Amino acid sequence: MAGRSAAGEPGSAARVGRVARAGRGLLRLLVRRGGEHPPQTDPLPGHRGADQGVGAHKDYGYLALLHQDSIAGLQVQDSAGGWIDADPVPGAFVVNIGEMLEIATGGYLTATRHRVRSPAAGVDRYSVPFFLAPRLDAVVEPLELPAELAAEARGISTDANNPLLAAFGENALLGWLRSHPEVARRWWSDVLEAQVAR
């Protein structure tokens, strides 16, 4: 995929460093969990509920491939804003189009908004994801599509609550903060405040 380094932009080295540290921390957490979605427990004080595993979001990279066990939980948002269960199909993978692919194709391919509901109390669920994404310092540039495909491109989604940024590291950090709001409020409140101030 096309991309250029954002390293020469003012302040970008510090931003990339913060994103890289956050990514390493998240990776350590995921390795410890081994792909397990924790079973539902009593909510923490001030928590709005324990049934939300991962909040509504779009994957930040190019593609996400997901192998699910037999326990459902993945939901995909339809064009009317409703949620459709993506029940596991034995031997199949779920393929989500990510935001960087939407940017690269000028909206010909659109990122998939989805969420993950936590399993019932006492039930373990395991998922194996694979995320294809550029380097954290990459800036994704539009691809030159064949004329017949370019004619069908809808343009990049515009959503004030989910702006798509061609700088992958910044886009990934913002997406992570949206998809894990309780964790973000507890551990990254300074980053959230800085984003609100923008």
Side-chain angles (χ1 to χ4, degrees):
M1 291 286 165
R4 65 177 170 82
S5 174
E9 296 176 13
S12 65
R15 270 194 310 269
V16 169
R18 286 192 305 271
V19 171
R21 282 190 300 280
R24 285 191 298 272
L26 182 58
L27 182 58
R28 280 193 298 276
L29 177 66
L30 291 174
V31 167
R32 275 189 238 134
R33 294 300 307 178
E36 177 185 358
H37 293 267
Q40 182 172 322
T41 58
D42 292 332
L44 298 170
H47 190 270
R48 287 190 298 257
D51 68 338
Q52 184 65 55
V54 179
H57 68 286
K58 298 176 181 179
D59 291 328
Y60 332 121
Y62 295 122
L63 289 172
L65 306 176
L66 176 70
H67 185 269
Q68 304 178 84
D69 66 7
S70 61
I71 308 298
L74 178 64
Q75 295 181 320
V76 179
Q77 192 170 44
D78 64 23
S79 59
W83 293 98
I84 302 167
D85 291 331
D87 292 331
V89 175
F93 286 87
V94 174
V95 178
N96 280 335
I97 296 169
E99 292 174 332
M100 294 297 104
L101 198 51
E102 180 172 337
I103 289 169
T105 64
Y108 175 74
L109 298 173
T110 304
T112 312
R113 184 178 304 277
H114 57 285
R115 66 184 182 186
V116 181
R117 309 222 14 118
S118 290
V123 175
D124 292 330
R125 179 178 61 231
Y126 294 88
S127 300
V128 180
F130 172 79
F131 300 101
L132 178 63
R135 293 174 10 165
L136 285 173
D137 66 345
V139 176
V140 174
E141 297 175 353
L143 297 171
E144 187 175 327
L145 298 176
E148 65 273 11
L149 299 182
E152 295 181 33
R154 296 168 285 220
I156 297 169
S157 302
T158 56
D159 178 350
N161 295 318
N162 186 33
L164 299 188
L165 306 175
F168 175 66
E170 289 182 49
N171 195 66
L173 176 60
L174 293 178
W176 182 83
L177 293 173
R178 281 190 303 272
S179 61
H180 301 279
E182 297 298 327
V183 173
R185 274 191 284 282
R186 181 165 183 182
W187 300 106
W188 296 89
S189 59
D190 59 327
V191 177
L192 284 174
E193 290 169 12
Q195 290 306 314
V196 170
R198 280 183 153 187

